[in-house]
Amino acid sequence: MRQSSLIAQLARLGFGDPARAERLLADRVLAGLLDPAEEPGGDAFVTALGEVPDPDEALTGLIRLLESLDAAGAARLRAVLSSGGPVRDRLLAVLGTSAALGDHLARHPDHWTVLAGDGRLPSAGEMRGELLAAVGAGPPVDALRVAYRRQLLRFAAHDLVARVPADAMPGVGAALAGLADAALEAALGDHLARHPDHWTV
């Protein structure tokens, strides 16, 4: 029977609550992701979920993300998940590793698209530009926090999907240092622009 076989496969893939996972996989928001022609557990999407550190967390986070998107955004994300590839792997890795970034994506669902690039880390100038633009677009502290976490999504994904994680560390470490510098510069620049009398000689 396919249902019981799927639950058994989910258990083998490392799901902590395979019966719950089976119910979630039947959720309407995931419609079209499971290939009915595949044998239980042979589905590429299910297999990809089983490759992340916490597949239960990844599945829950994915449903929250899809529910937060509008119809067009959800359709685009489902297409990416169905086709497989590095963007799917980056997203599932982040969702299956960091509950905090999963929460961020649920609040800012369009940010998943930052993972759709070529996977390279942004330059210091690119990070600085994005954070400086963010503080001019809304309440500076909130805007800076959101833009900062958007960048963290990139770094986490880059690190998590590296074939040999140690190889990714020097680049990710330098990028994180650059991000911290850019955040400080953006915060200071915004503060001084709003309070020019705070300049001291």
Side-chain angles (χ1 to χ4, degrees), residues 17-99:
D17 188 343
R20 176 179 176 272
E22 187 275 332
R23 290 193 301 274
L24 290 178
L25 286 167
D27 192 295
R28 59 173 178 75
V29 78
L30 296 178
L33 289 182
L34 294 181
D35 185 349
E38 289 284 350
E39 287 298 315
D43 188 282
F45 173 66
V46 173
T47 301
L49 278 169
E51 292 174 353
V52 304
D54 188 338
D56 296 277
E57 185 71 34
L59 183 55
T60 300
L62 184 59
I63 290 174
R64 291 176 64 206
L65 171 56
L66 284 162
E67 289 176 338
S68 300
L69 289 163
D70 61 21
R76 179 183 176 198
L77 179 53
R78 275 195 293 270
V80 167
L81 294 167
S82 295
S83 62
V87 179
R88 180 199 66 189
D89 294 344
R90 291 173 198 146
L91 177 59
L92 294 181
V94 167
L95 291 173
T97 304
S98 172

Side-chain angles (χ1 to χ4, degrees), residues 3 7 9 19 26 32 40 42 49 66 73 75-76 87 97 116 128 132 140 142 144-147 165-166 191 193:
Q3 184 181 43
I7 290 175
Q9 182 67 17
L49 278 169
L66 284 162
R76 179 183 176 198
V87 179
T97 304
R128 188 176 301 109
L132 286 170
D142 292 339
L144 187 58
R145 183 183 301 114
V146 169
H191 177 78

